[in-house]
Amino acid sequence: MKPTQLSLSMRLRDDATFANYYPGANAGTLGYVEHACETENQWLDSVLYLWGSAGVGRSHLLQAACLRVEERGGRALYLPLAELAHHGPQLLDNVEFCDLVCLDDIQAVLGQPHWEEALFHAFNRLRDAGKQLLIAAHAPPRELSIKLPDLQSRLSIALVFQLHELSDDDKLRALQLRASRRGLRLSDEVGRFILARSVRSTTVLFDTLEQLDHASLQAQRKLTIPFLKEALGW
Amino acid sequence: MKPTQLSLSMRLRDDATFANYYPGANAGTLGYVEHACETENQWLDSVLYLWGSAGVGRSHLLQAACLRVEERGGRALYLPLAELAHHGPQLLDNVEFCDLVCLDDIQAVLGQPHWEEALFHAFNRLRDAGKQLLIAAHAPPRELSIKLPDLQSRLSIALVFQLHELSDDDKLRALQLRASRRGLRLSDEVGRFILARSVRSTTVLFDTLEQLDHASLQAQRKLTIPFLKEALGW
């Protein structure tokens, strides 16, 4: 692995774990991604491809997979291509020396011949080395604008999973799961108050929870509606 | 710890892990039990008390807590009191040498003065040793028939969590989570077929899945409705 790859691969959010992912309608996908990480040196034959709109947890699952493989002593590489595209396709050099490679937002580099070429060769090297590849994008493979037929055919045989947005009930539970894992009890009432006042993107909701956690620690107070109004200026 | 305790404490189901527990409406409880296990030698001040009807996953969470503490190199003791009551209250001798003690079905030994006395003293020894106690029962503390006022007051200050039965949608997702963690893809259609034909207790559902897993491995076949009918004789 190149030094640039190593430093790029360190940027995993430490809260992006499987345990922090509320499964909801994505239970089957969560389990399958975990399964792909469990197999330890017995990687699946297939590429896993996750797609869904923003905020459904694509990046969370990819990072959780990397964290899991690293925990077990393996090498994992998380490449968020929308952020890293400007580094050019040489980012993909030597990826096959990792056990697990996660390419996030693959749509960001498609349509560019040198990137598509590099992806195709990287896929082949990973397959030949028997390593695991996980891809995430905003749309299913058939809706991507891929020019290179060879790359299109590689993606067409991936195991495809659609990620769904959580219902409001499930968002409440996702908040409660995260809160309680930090030792904060979040009642249904207070949770629904947050959902009603906040943008309902899970990213924003979890950031709000983060703020509340710090505020309640400092003030040594429980999560009540009056405390929330005070802490968040709502 | 006594040899009897050690041998009794080995009886954990290896599938009773946190990762296998679909949170649903119990997300807050799952997270809090995990939190109680995370704190490593910084146990919570409080006893955790989980209650709910049969099949809501009380024993699963208690065993998952034990597995987690053991994974981290700690000592955990799981005592299913309904099964073990005939061993008598000396079961509770020396429990304070464990980091985590889980008493399942505590109602099974209440109302018996020698058991209640032993429980009260065990609670105190655990508290003095700074160890974690997790209790599960079929009803909340105030509905238990406890004769010893001291024991009643110990339980009245526990952190109480009610576990709820999963909705049918959540049971489907719980099945899908378990299936996919074994590398089996269970479509909504096939999952709903199982739910419609089977008793809806999660225990029975998970056993059915176990059967299917073996059958599909042997037959090298995917989970389709025709295959299910054949494998389960439905």
Side-chain angles (χ1 to χ4, degrees):
Chain A
M1 217 174 350
K2 293 186 170 181
T4 49
Q5 282 181 340
L6 257 181
S7 61
L8 293 167
S9 74
M10 301 309 290
R11 298 205 272 151
L12 300 172
R13 287 186 59 137
D14 58 7
D15 63 342
T17 58
F18 288 128
N20 258 339
Y21 190 88
Y22 179 87
N26 302 312
T29 307
L30 166 68
Y32 213 88
V33 174
E34 275 196 88
H35 170 70
C37 299
E38 291 298 329
T39 41
E40 289 180 70
N41 311 320
Q42 275 285 319
W43 303 105
L44 304 177
D45 288 334
S46 316
V47 171
L48 259 56
Y49 183 106
L50 314 182
W51 70 276
S53 50
V56 289
R58 300 182 314 228
S59 306
H60 185 142
L61 283 179
L62 261 50
Q63 294 188 46
C66 289
L67 287 169
R68 172 68 55 88
V69 166
E70 287 179 355
E71 257 171 38
R72 305 261 163 112
R75 266 187 170 176
L77 183 66
Y78 172 69
L79 296 177
L81 295 177
E83 287 172 53
L84 302 178
H86 63 279
H87 289 283
Q90 55 272 32
L91 260 183
L92 303 176
D93 292 351
N94 302 315
V95 284
E96 66 275 21
F97 294 104
C98 295
D99 300 299
L100 170 73
V101 177
C102 292
L103 303 180
D104 203 353
D105 283 316
I106 198 175
Q107 73 278 352
V109 298
L110 296 175
Q112 303 173 56
H114 56 301
W115 265 105
E116 291 195 354
E117 191 77 27
L119 282 167
F120 172 69
H121 290 300
F123 285 18
N124 291 342
R125 295 197 312 274
L126 284 164
R127 189 200 51 201
D128 295 344
K131 301 305 176 61
Q132 187 70 52
L133 175 61
L134 227 74
I135 296 174
H138 70 318
R142 66 176 181 281
E143 290 179 22
L144 298 176
S145 26
I146 301 178
K147 290 181 180 157
L148 189 68
D150 284 339
L151 180 61
Q152 182 72 62
S153 80
R154 280 279 168 279
L155 279 175
S156 68
I157 51 170
L159 283 173
V160 177
F161 295 85
Q162 182 182 359
L163 291 168
H164 304 276
E165 199 186 348
L166 294 180
S167 66
D168 278 353
D169 272 353
D170 282 339
K171 282 180 185 168
L172 170 66
R173 293 158 172 189
L175 267 180
Q176 289 174 320
L177 179 65
R178 288 225 176 191
S180 61
R181 293 188 80 244
R182 296 156 169 252
L184 283 173
R185 287 189 83 170
L186 182 69
S187 67
D188 286 1
E189 187 201 12
V190 175
R192 290 193 195 284
F193 177 81
I194 297 176
L195 279 169
R197 298 296 179 103
S198 170
V199 181
R200 293 193 179 188
S201 118
T202 44
T203 318
V204 175
L205 287 170
F206 295 149
D207 286 346
T208 306
L209 188 65
E210 184 89 29
Q211 275 179 278
L212 284 173
D213 191 14
H214 291 298
S216 74
L217 264 180
Q218 282 191 316
Q220 292 287 304
R221 286 177 58 187
K222 287 194 177 164
L223 297 185
T224 59
I225 291 179
F227 174 70
L228 248 77
K229 287 182 172 171
E230 190 186 309
L232 301 171
W234 280 359
Chain B
M1 218 173 351
K2 293 187 171 180
T4 49
Q5 282 181 340
L6 257 181
S7 61
L8 293 167
S9 74
M10 300 310 290
R11 298 205 273 149
L12 300 172
R13 287 186 59 135
D14 59 7
D15 63 343
T17 58
F18 288 128
N20 259 340
Y21 189 87
Y22 179 87
N26 302 312
T29 307
L30 166 67
Y32 213 88
V33 174
E34 274 196 88
H35 170 71
C37 299
E38 290 298 330
T39 41
E40 288 179 71
N41 311 321
Q42 275 286 319
W43 304 105
L44 304 176
D45 289 334
S46 315
V47 171
L48 259 56
Y49 182 106
L50 314 182
W51 70 276
S53 51
V56 289
R58 300 181 314 228
S59 305
H60 184 142
L61 283 180
L62 261 50
Q63 293 188 46
C66 288
L67 287 168
R68 172 67 55 88
V69 165
E70 287 178 356
E71 257 172 38
R72 305 261 163 113
R75 266 187 170 176
L77 183 66
Y78 173 68
L79 296 177
L81 295 177
E83 287 172 53
L84 303 178
H86 63 279
H87 289 283
Q90 56 272 32
L91 260 183
L92 303 176
D93 293 350
N94 302 315
V95 284
E96 66 275 21
F97 294 104
C98 295
D99 300 299
L100 170 73
V101 177
C102 292
L103 303 179
D104 204 353
D105 283 316
I106 197 174
Q107 73 278 352
V109 298
L110 296 175
Q112 304 173 55
H114 56 302
W115 265 106
E116 292 196 354
E117 191 77 26
L119 283 167
F120 172 68
H121 291 300
F123 285 18
N124 291 341
R125 295 196 312 274
L126 284 163
R127 189 200 51 201
D128 295 344
K131 301 306 177 59
Q132 188 69 53
L133 175 60
L134 226 73
I135 295 174
H138 69 319
R142 66 177 181 281
E143 290 179 22
L144 298 176
S145 27
I146 301 178
K147 290 181 180 158
L148 189 68
D150 284 339
L151 181 61
Q152 182 72 62
S153 80
R154 279 280 168 279
L155 279 175
S156 68
I157 52 170
L159 283 173
V160 178
F161 295 84
Q162 182 182 359
L163 291 168
H164 305 276
E165 199 186 348
L166 294 180
S167 67
D168 278 353
D169 272 353
D170 282 339
K171 282 180 184 167
L172 170 66
R173 293 159 172 189
L175 266 180
Q176 288 174 321
L177 178 65
R178 288 225 176 190
S180 61
R181 293 189 79 244
R182 296 156 169 251
L184 283 174
R185 288 188 83 170
L186 182 69
S187 67
D188 286 1
E189 187 201 12
V190 175
R192 289 193 195 285
F193 177 81
I194 297 176
L195 279 169
R197 298 298 179 103
S198 169
V199 182
R200 293 192 179 188
S201 118
T202 44
T203 318
V204 175
L205 287 170
F206 296 149
D207 286 346
T208 306
L209 187 65
E210 184 90 29
Q211 275 179 277
L212 284 173
D213 190 13
H214 291 298
S216 74
L217 264 181
Q218 282 192 317
Q220 292 287 304
R221 286 177 57 186
K222 287 194 177 164
L223 297 185
T224 59
I225 291 179
F227 174 70
L228 247 77
K229 288 181 171 171
E230 190 185 310
L232 301 171
W234 280 358

